[in-house]
Amino acid sequence: MKLGESKEDYLEAMYILNRQKGYVIKDEHGYVELTAEGKKIAKKVYARHLLLKEFLELIGVSPETANHDACRMEHTISEESFQKIQELVKKIKKENASNEQMQLTN
């Protein structure tokens, strides 16, 4: 599992997944592994994190603050709000690409 941020992010993710029965397996040596369902959930949370971080950066939040805030938001945001943010990010990216294309042709 690659979280790409920090040891604290990893430990928080493992704590959350461990609270949910059946998502983490710990062997007799203390090694931890995600179950198939645990991996599925971890990927979903990480995808949310990336999108929320991207959204925050698009609206002018610094990368460091965006990362920090996305870490908190990814666990609490409703599916409805997440979907609307996802739609807005797609729209902004499409508009930005159109604007860049127009600048190239002028």
Side-chain angles (χ1 to χ4, degrees):
M1 171 188 222
K2 180 181 181 240
L3 294 177
E5 298 302 330
S6 68
K7 182 177 179 181
E8 290 77 23
D9 292 335
Y10 171 79
L11 291 174
E12 179 184 356
M14 294 308 296
Y15 173 76
I16 290 166
L17 290 169
N18 195 33
R19 285 191 320 201
Q20 308 289 328
K21 188 173 182 173
Y23 296 144
V24 176
I25 300 169
K26 187 174 181 182
D27 71 13
E28 66 276 357
H29 302 291
Y31 292 107
V32 177
E33 184 178 342
L34 294 173
T35 63
E37 187 64 22
K39 288 177 185 178
K40 181 179 170 184
I41 290 171
K43 286 179 182 181
K44 180 179 179 181
V45 171
Y46 189 59
R48 284 176 167 242
H49 173 86
L50 293 176
L51 182 82
L52 291 167
K53 181 176 183 285
E54 180 180 19
F55 169 70
L56 293 170
E57 289 179 2
L58 281 171
I59 63 171
V61 177
S62 71
E64 184 177 311
T65 300
N67 184 60
H68 177 73
D69 290 348
C71 283
R72 296 187 316 204
M73 294 168 65
E74 67 199 26
H75 301 287
T76 59
I77 191 169
S78 70
E79 187 62 33
E80 178 184 5
S81 294
F82 179 76
Q83 291 298 321
K84 294 299 180 183
I85 290 172
Q86 190 173 40
E87 290 170 15
L88 182 59
V89 167
K90 286 179 184 178
K91 182 179 178 182
I92 291 170
K93 289 170 78 173
K94 185 177 179 180
E95 288 174 2
N96 287 346
S98 293
N99 289 341
E100 288 176 14
Q101 187 68 358
M102 287 175 55
Q103 288 177 353
L104 291 174
T105 58
N106 289 335

